Amino acid sequence: MGQFYQTIPPNIHEWILQQKMFWVGTAPLSGSGHVNISPKGGLYFGLLDDHTFWYIDLSGSGNETISHLYEPGNGRITIMFTAFDGPPRIVRLWGQGKVLENQTSEFSDFVKKHDVKTIPGTRSIIMVHVHQVGSSCGFSVPKFDFKSFRTTLNDFMAKKEKDFEEGKTKENFPRYWAYKNAESIDGLPGLELGRRTAKEEGIAPIKKMVGMPSRGYRSGSAKRFNLWHLVLVGLVSVMATVSLIALSPALGVRVMVNRPA
């Protein structure tokens, strides 16, 4: 049966730390923007207390979570865990997220204070200030036997760091972030260091929206038609009508105005 809590109960706290993977869900404020769900694997997460969750955000081709957390007025995030062995269970953590970017004092202070073991390719730490916890049955979640963690991403990023240290200056992570992580698929601003590097070195971000956008989609950088546009159209129409009436004698044009009987 589903149960809800304001903070993370001790039994769920312990269970969370035993899990091998979880999902992160975020979305832009625009109803036509793209909802994002990211799977996370590895022992790169933790709990500071009964209402604070964190995880290491590794470099990759996407950065939707970061963009959604940076969007003014947004910051919504959901973390979901599911049991693949043992008793069935689904746990969701709803909260507000905060991005601690690598190469910032906030990031360094957090890593030092909590003795976090970062790895090559770590681009940020995502903090989640939890305000609601939900636990549900998970009766329909299939069972899986854990085999091992994939090392492909870790190996790739470790090689990239080694190449940079050996003199291949273009293999640095800020350049990678500038190309891959400067914007979301909706055009929302992404990793700040990536955007700054893109501007300084003239790196154009990768095009993520391929083909025609879905119906009703508006890019984060696109102009939106709102009430002020309607007001502006109305004012222009009134001014055009007044000008036409004022100029009609000189132009030899008769303007018919309907008046009530």
Side-chain angles (χ1 to χ4, degrees):
M1 298 296 291
Q3 297 184 43
F4 296 90
Y5 315 88
Q6 188 174 356
T7 57
I8 303 170
N11 64 316
I12 292 181
H13 185 290
E14 182 180 353
W15 178 83
I16 284 176
L17 296 178
Q18 297 171 355
Q19 302 312 300
K20 304 295 192 298
M21 69 172 296
F22 58 94
W23 285 262
V24 179
T26 59
L29 292 176
S30 170
S32 57
H34 290 76
V35 177
N36 184 69
I37 302 173
S38 296
K40 304 293 181 182
L43 303 177
Y44 308 124
F45 65 91
L47 290 162
L48 300 185
D49 48 42
D50 63 3
H51 59 275
T52 312
F53 175 83
W54 66 270
Y55 70 90
I56 292 179
D57 177 50
L58 300 176
S59 296
S61 57
N63 62 282
E64 300 300 300
T65 301
I66 290 174
S67 291
H68 298 158
L69 297 184
Y70 272 151
E71 185 181 19
N74 197 343
R76 303 166 300 167
I77 187 170
T78 301
I79 306 296
M80 185 178 78
F81 291 88
T82 60
F84 292 115
D85 57 10
R89 172 182 274 174
I90 299 172
V91 169
R92 293 178 178 87
L93 309 177
W94 289 281
Q96 287 288 308
K98 182 178 181 180
V99 182
L100 309 182
E101 285 198 25
N102 199 344
Q103 301 186 27
T104 65
S105 58
E106 279 191 307
F107 176 91
S108 300
D109 291 345
F110 183 90
V111 168
K112 183 179 180 180
K113 180 178 180 180
H114 300 288
D115 193 27
V116 177
K117 307 299 182 184
T118 61
I119 62 175
T122 298
R123 64 184 176 188
S124 72
I125 287 175
I126 304 297
M127 300 284 298
V128 181
H129 301 287
V130 179
H131 63 253
Q132 182 78 359
V133 180
S135 175
S136 53
C137 64
F139 289 167
S140 66
V141 176
K143 288 186 176 182
F144 288 99
D145 293 325
F146 176 73
K147 192 171 183 180
S148 64
F149 291 116
R150 295 180 189 270
T151 63
T152 309
L153 178 63
N154 297 5
D155 295 341
F156 175 82
M157 293 302 171
K159 182 180 183 304
K160 191 173 186 67
E161 184 175 87
K162 183 180 179 181
D163 288 344
F164 174 71
E165 292 173 347
E166 292 178 351
K168 297 180 181 179
T169 57
K170 290 189 176 182
E171 289 297 316
N172 65 66
F173 287 112
R175 287 182 59 85
Y176 179 90
W177 298 332
Y179 181 57
K180 299 279 192 175
N181 305 150
E183 294 182 353
S184 73
I185 193 173
D186 293 319
L188 293 172
L191 203 69
E192 290 181 353
L193 179 55
R195 291 176 61 80
R196 188 162 64 248
T197 303
K199 184 177 180 180
E200 292 172 352
E201 301 192 24
I203 301 173
I206 185 175
K207 181 182 179 182
K208 296 183 177 180
M209 178 55 68
V210 179
M212 292 296 292
S214 60
R215 185 177 180 182
Y217 164 80
R218 296 187 183 96
S219 169
S221 60
K223 294 181 178 179
R224 289 169 169 78
F225 190 85
N226 56 35
L227 179 60
W228 290 111
H229 290 93
L230 292 175
V231 172
L232 181 61
V233 170
L235 288 174
V236 171
S237 298
V238 170
M239 292 175 65
T241 301
V242 171
S243 298
L244 179 60
I245 293 175
L247 294 174
S248 59
L251 298 175
V253 178
R254 295 182 62 191
V255 179
M256 303 299 294
V257 179
N258 293 325
R259 292 186 173 86

